[in-house]
Amino acid sequence: MRTFRIGRPSPAFVVAVIALFVALGGASYAALSLPANSVGRKQLRSGAVTGKKIANRAVTAAKINFSNFPTVPRSTHADSADLATNATNATNATNATNATNATNATNATNATNATNATNLGGQPARTYALATTLQPTTAFLENNWTASADFGVPGYAKDQFGIVHLFGGANNAVATAATIFTLPVGFRPGYLVDAPATFASGPAALGVLQIKPDGTVAPISSGTGFVDLEGITFAAGG
């Protein structure tokens, strides 16, 4: 009968066996000696729990406190969309402002034109242009006054603005302040008019021609033998 002889174990084998028993003994002690719910954040080393050590679906949404999570910034695309919206709104606001200004400008122009039309009596401005040629009515001379050969026959005319214009010149052989002629109704002033005029009794001199509301036209100075009527104007009032 053959017999087996067991040899002496090697030192490496002995060390391996001892390590195995220590490891098994420590795990058993930990499992048997730690009470329930005794391991918390203080007992866990930082980084001890990794993704590989957590089973799939072990952590659910109900076990996560989302209130402690920081606010997630909006995406760049959302910001771009907001900027585009703001730009569109700004453009619309600008367009609305421009439209309002254009409307106001048009209304203001129309209002100005309407006011001008009202002030002009609804007539174009050319209607009020001074007539280039007025046809004077020959005045009936009194008190030995005669027409001046140099300045023409004394006369009067009224333009479309109601302004009376005198024409011509008058001579008198005797220096006098007598009435030269009398204006008819419609060509008389509504008040006394003292108009400067050129008089001559010897050397030319400047004098005053008086036109009264009764229509009489006469020099103030009694030493007058000539009166230049050209350029004398006044508003008709009677």
Side-chain angles (χ1 to χ4, degrees):
M1 180 177 179
R2 181 181 293 181
T3 59
F4 295 94
R5 185 179 180 182
I6 301 174
R8 180 179 297 178
S10 66
F13 179 77
V14 174
V15 171
V17 172
I18 293 172
L20 176 60
F21 277 101
V22 170
L24 293 175
S28 299
Y29 172 78
L32 295 174
S33 61
L34 292 177
N37 300 323
S38 62
V39 178
R41 288 183 298 174
K42 294 183 179 180
Q43 286 74 29
L44 291 177
R45 184 180 61 185
S46 177
V49 180
T50 63
K52 294 181 179 180
K53 295 179 180 180
I54 300 176
N56 292 338
R57 299 184 180 86
V59 180
T60 62
K63 297 180 179 181
I64 300 175
N65 184 2
F66 290 99
S67 63
N68 294 328
F69 278 61
T71 302
V72 179
R74 295 185 300 177
S75 66
T76 303
H77 296 293
D79 291 339
S80 299
D82 289 343
L83 292 176
T85 301
N86 292 338
T88 301
N89 292 339
T91 301
N92 292 338
T94 300
N95 292 337
T97 300
N98 292 338
T100 301
N101 291 339
T103 301
N104 291 339
T106 301
N107 292 339
T109 300
N110 292 338
T112 301
N113 292 337
T115 300
N116 292 340
T118 299
N119 291 338
L120 292 174
Q123 300 295 324
R126 63 177 178 273
T127 303
Y128 298 93
L130 181 65
T132 55
T133 303
L134 292 176
Q135 298 298 327
T137 299
T138 300
F140 180 77
L141 299 178
E142 307 172 31
N143 301 312
N144 297 321
W145 287 95
T146 60
S148 170
D150 295 327
F151 292 90
V153 178
Y156 53 88
K158 184 168 61 175
D159 62 28
Q160 68 267 39
F161 302 114
I163 302 300
V164 177
H165 301 254
L166 300 185
F167 298 89
N171 293 322
N172 200 313
V174 179
T176 179
T179 298
I180 302 174
F181 58 89
T182 302
L183 292 167
V185 175
F187 292 84
R188 299 173 179 178
Y191 49 86
L192 179 64
V193 175
D194 288 334
T198 300
F199 292 173
S201 179
L206 185 65
V208 176
L209 184 69
Q210 194 170 74
I211 303 100
K212 297 180 180 180
D214 62 3
T216 56
V217 179
I220 290 179
S221 175
S222 59
T224 304
F226 167 79
V227 176
D228 181 5
L229 302 170
E230 293 287 340
I232 297 175
T233 61
F234 55 88

